[in-house]
Amino acid sequence: MDDAMTALPLVFDAPRRTKPPRHLADLTRDEARAAVTELGQPAFRADQLARHFYAGVTDPAQMTDVPAAVREDLAAALLPGLLTPVRHQSADGGRTRKTLWRLHDGALVESVLMRYPERATVCISSQAGCGMACPFCATGQSGLTRNLSAAEIIGQAVAAAAAMANGEIPGGPGRLSNVVFMGMGEPLANYARVRKTLDALLTPAPHGLGLAQRSVTVSTVGLVPAIRKLTEEGLNVTLAVSLHAPDDELRDTLVPINTRWNVGEVLEAADAYARRTGRRYSIEYALIRDVNDQPFRADLLGRLLAKRLAHVNLIPLNPTPGSQWDASPLPAQREFVARLRAAGVPTTVRDTRGSDIDGACGQLAAADQVDGVPSVAVPVPAVEEGVALGAESDQG
Ligand code: SAH
């Protein structure tokens, strides 16, 4: 392994930057009602605003149940535009669409909407950048800029739901059915905001997006205390653990957080989640040629997972710029799958939707590519036309 690629420090505490303006989606329903009252309006207007927000209405002129005289002011006070689309990139005949968003302070994040015949999944970002420093991941190599607010995370899902509802994606108007936290960032390192986001995703319309618990996937490098905390929440969302190696020696290098919480501890925490929810968790494993794709590692992984309530989702590595690593060749992938299945472990191989627009797992590196400087606590300069997008994840 290249030393230069493992030298990044782990970063848990996001640099503090100016907070995004107050937004309804950051507030509880009671707080929103209080905020509206403070603005001299009846509390029920908070519910009206929420209904418009979750329906994807952004133009105050369309909020016709709110008196025209106060629409603009209420929207400005509680529904400020937090996500400005910089550009969309499409692939798969328009059924995969990646959006680059600029945040109020110039930070950049991406989300990817993927439409399949029977579902539509949006992959959202929970942080600008990421502090987990996984050497094969473009976002991990760019460092952590900051945590996103709940409203900034929720807004990505709301925009995707609106794009589906408005028929912006080929196939006619449809419904957003799935959300995966597999964009930029480590969701469990931004716990409180991600927790709020889960509420917004799961709360029935019109006060949320009304998604099914099993259709929401939280993907983590394995922050054990946060997995335990999630286990106590009483939620049943799908948990995905980015394992990438069955042995601590290799995982220490591929997922550096392993030096703090090792394979055994992470799986134990995931097992406890599975026991509580009764639901299988997902093991993410990027197949990297000659690094973690050997038959003996497949067998090791098979033995590790055989008696657990887990399934394996193999991701052929999406090579990132500057990396010497490559995806496993097909025969190696097939062998890996066969050995896991022989061990009794349910195994699937993820499709790589959007890899041609750098929109597949691990390719998101928007901030990095725009200011050209890894890591950050400095606002990113205004985006120039023609800057290539970073990218992110697929999957459903
Ligand atoms: N921080 C979260 C979300 C990250 S992105 C996590 O680590 O789980 C979602 C998945 O994409 C993770 O499993 C991540 O390890 C994987 N990934 C990152 N870079 C990749 C790459 N270059 N090729 C394939 N998968 C990648």
Side-chain angles (χ1 to χ4, degrees), residues 19-380:
K19 272 188 150 183
R22 177 178 68 170
H23 192 287
L24 183 98
D26 291 313
L27 308 178
T28 63
R29 196 167 171 197
D30 284 344
E31 287 167 349
R33 291 165 72 91
V36 165
T37 313
E38 263 168 47
L39 294 167
Q41 288 295 310
F44 69 83
R45 299 234 181 279
D47 293 342
Q48 294 176 315
L49 295 177
R51 200 170 301 133
H52 291 304
F53 173 68
Y54 286 106
V57 175
T58 51
D59 178 5
Q62 289 176 31
M63 303 178 187
T64 50
D65 56 349
V66 180
V70 297
R71 265 177 223 160
E72 296 278 351
D73 287 351
L74 280 180
L78 285 160
L79 301 177
L82 300 179
L83 298 164
T84 307
V86 177
R87 83 163 54 76
H88 299 294
Q89 274 182 290
S90 292
D92 306 309
R95 287 169 303 120
T96 297
R97 188 173 83 168
K98 180 173 69 166
T99 305
L100 174 68
W101 304 101
R102 184 168 42 235
L103 309 181
H104 79 101
D105 57 354
L108 298 168
V109 297
E110 288 169 315
S111 57
V112 184
L113 176 56
M114 292 155 284
R115 183 173 199 166
Y116 300 88
E118 73 300 351
R119 68 178 192 277
T121 299
V122 69
C123 176
I124 59 174
S125 295
S126 55
Q127 299 180 310
C130 185
M132 296 297 108
C134 301
F136 56 89
C137 175
T139 314
Q141 290 306 295
S142 73
L144 179 60
T145 300
R146 68 166 169 90
N147 283 328
L148 301 194
S149 68
E152 287 169 332
I153 308 171
I154 295 165
Q156 298 168 56
V158 167
M164 284 300 297
N166 298 337
E168 288 170 37
I169 308 298
R175 199 181 71 84
L176 179 75
S177 58
N178 295 66
V179 171
V180 297
F181 288 82
M182 293 188 182
M184 302 172 82
E186 166 51 43
L188 295 188
N190 186 15
Y191 191 92
R193 280 67 163 266
V194 166
R195 179 68 190 83
K196 263 192 195 177
T197 301
L198 292 175
D199 272 340
L201 299 179
L202 301 173
T203 298
H207 290 285
L209 287 180
L211 298 177
Q213 300 235 22
R214 63 180 59 238
S215 307
V216 174
T217 300
V218 176
S219 179
T220 178
V221 287
L223 303 185
V224 165
I227 295 175
R228 292 200 188 114
K229 200 165 166 190
L230 187 67
T231 303
E232 288 160 17
E233 303 277 8
L235 295 169
N236 293 307
V237 296
T238 302
L239 176 69
V241 174
S242 297
L243 201 67
H244 304 307
D247 53 308
D248 287 319
E249 191 184 357
L250 179 59
R251 193 168 191 264
D252 278 350
T253 66
L254 292 181
V255 186
I257 196 67
N258 196 66
T259 56
R260 198 151 320 183
W261 295 288
N262 64 26
V263 171
E265 292 168 307
V266 170
L267 292 181
E268 210 170 282
D271 288 342
Y273 187 80
R275 274 197 302 278
R276 222 269 296 124
T277 59
R279 303 210 32 231
R280 243 170 235 289
Y281 56 91
S282 181
I283 292 291
E284 310 292 299
Y285 198 106
L287 282 172
I288 313 174
R289 172 187 225 138
D290 297 335
V291 173
N292 66 353
D293 65 347
Q294 305 87 347
F296 84 88
R297 283 212 161 82
D299 293 342
L300 206 56
L301 187 63
R303 282 200 295 280
L304 197 60
L305 300 179
K307 301 230 157 49
R308 303 186 123 102
L309 202 56
H311 87 266
V312 174
N313 198 208
L314 297 169
I315 319 167
L317 183 81
N318 295 301
T320 59
S323 164
Q324 77 280 35
W325 290 334
D326 206 351
S328 300
L330 260 182
Q333 289 183 31
R334 292 203 184 103
E335 177 74 20
F336 209 91
V337 172
R339 284 176 185 253
L340 282 173
R341 288 189 179 152
V345 180
T347 304
T348 50
V349 180
R350 183 180 300 176
D351 81 81
T352 50
R353 272 272 186 124
S355 54
D356 47 341
I357 50 167
D358 291 340
C361 267
Q363 293 184 311
L364 294 188
D368 188 42
Q369 295 197 6
V370 168
D371 68 3
V373 183
S375 183
V376 258
V378 217
V380 180

